Amino acid sequence: MTTVVSINDRRVKGKRDIMLYGHFIEHFHRQIYDGIFAPGNPLSDEDGFRTDIIDAMKKIRVPVLRWPGGCFVSSYHWKDAVGATRKPMFDKAWRVEDPNTFGTDEYIKLCRKIGCEPYICTNAGTGTPEEMSDWVEYCNLDHEGQYAKRRIANGYEKPHKVKYWSIGNENYGYWEIGAKSADEWGRLVRESAKMMMHVDAETQLSAAALSDIDWNINLLKNCGRYLDWISIHQYWDMMAEVNAPAAYEECMAFTKDIARSVDDVRGILTAMKLEDKIKIAFDEWNLRSWHHPNVHTIRQGVDAADYVTPRDKNDDNSTYTMADAVFAACFLNAMNRNCDIVGMANFAPILNTRGCIYSYDKGIVLRSTYHVFDLYVNYLGDTVIDLWAQDKIPSMDVRSKSGDEISVDVLDLLATKWSDREGMSLAAVNKHAVESQSIILDYEADDAEIIMYSITGKSADSYNDIDRNEVGIEAKKPGRYSRGMQVELAPHSVNVIQIIPVR
């Protein structure tokens, strides 16, 4: 079946923020220690950071990096991890010792090396509004107060100038240390926001939320006037306790209504007349949840073999196939289409666990999702324009992980242009596992060439690993563009089609 895709670049739908392509890193398993921070490794620089990982992050132009959690933050006390004398902590979220050798100053160094904005998530579990505001003082004040002076004494004369702060992480959930009721949360966020803003009036604040009416109404009634963002999280293929990754077709079922939580929160913001003041930060997302059995349960694992060793299953690179790439592209398309209300999204995490980069002692592996970020950051435009199919987009029936049969669109399409140069760039995702799809481009452009960048693999289960490179970006130049040109989309592929004026 051939789909005619009409594009009108004079009808602008919105301008996306580059922060839609943000990332996240947490003190979990090998994300920080034996991950990005590996002093003594031959690939690390003088500050202990892996240069090969930083180079990979720079290539996808990471715009913002959320830290330190995640569940980790809800029992984390930042003051123990600055200065010459560090106090190790027992991480009560993940039940391991953290040496605290990577703290606020190391995180800021990392962000500066990458060239990204820092985004700090504060401890709203066992922490207090005062502890949160002291953290802002340490990072942002020039010299006033004991904590700014402590930063200077630690060798950082100039403020770190952290603009983005989140109050808490998933404090609505029973699994979170220091979980709160809706009433408790509204009061805590209000008082924390007041103190943080009193320290630095230029900070932008977010608070943990979810697509729940009661929670959000309580939060926004109490705190809407203080907040710039509302934070939501979502993982679709849940594997916390049992590491059973969804198969390709099951992952495609997850793409149906992929932006439902955005729609829900948008509705609440609109009903409360806050849609022009508060944006959504989708600051944790991934297709697959992290595997960490026997810690977010009432009955805890007794031996490390029950609850620490199983986390190594996250490191199985064969898990991260074209299903992950196709899903990630569909998610990013949806966030771009909602760029008027979604201003930030953070892939969770960027490194190891379910990350788009995998590291080992001698190098890195770029998983399939890494190439999606490469494609979208470096080849798509920043302005979303109008697109429609002249006939109905073809659909396919897939079996969900729960066994239900679900109908989903075969294609996911997003049209963009650049604000600083001419041309159009179309993201075209073919979800079908084995069948190619044809699209006809109905777009007016004179004297232009067409370039096509594609991510695919020999099969839907293709993946990358050490000494195995099955997924990457391939570029093709079909030549001159003509209106009504037909383009073939390979099965299970993510594509960006650029139409660029020659003149």
Side-chain angles (χ1 to χ4, degrees), residues 3 37 39 160 168 170 243 266 270 275 293 323 354 387 390 405:
T3 303
F37 189 62
H160 292 325
E170 298 178 4
N243 191 59
R266 178 197 289 275
T270 302
E275 74 276 13
R354 306 296 190 192
L387 169 152
Q390 291 188 8
E405 191 172 89

Side-chain angles (χ1 to χ4, degrees), residues 4 89 123 133 159 218 294 312 335 356 363 424 453:
V4 180
M89 66 171 283
N123 178 359
S133 62
N218 189 288
N294 302 314
D312 289 338
M335 296 306 104
C356 60
M424 185 276 293
Y453 302 91

Side-chain angles (χ1 to χ4, degrees), residues 242-263:
V242 179
N243 191 59
Y248 182 87
E249 185 177 281
E250 294 168 336
C251 293
M252 295 307 99
F254 290 129
T255 65
K256 188 175 181 68
D257 298 327
I258 201 169
R260 176 57 191 264
S261 57
V262 171
D263 295 339

Side-chain angles (χ1 to χ4, degrees), residues 398-410:
V398 294
R399 188 73 61 181
S400 73
K401 197 172 183 179
S402 61
D404 299 324
E405 191 172 89
I406 295 176
S407 179
V408 298
D409 289 344
V410 174

Side-chain angles (χ1 to χ4, degrees), residues 37-50:
F37 189 62
N41 185 291
L43 296 172
S44 295
D45 65 14
E46 67 281 0
D47 295 314
F49 294 102
R50 285 278 296 267

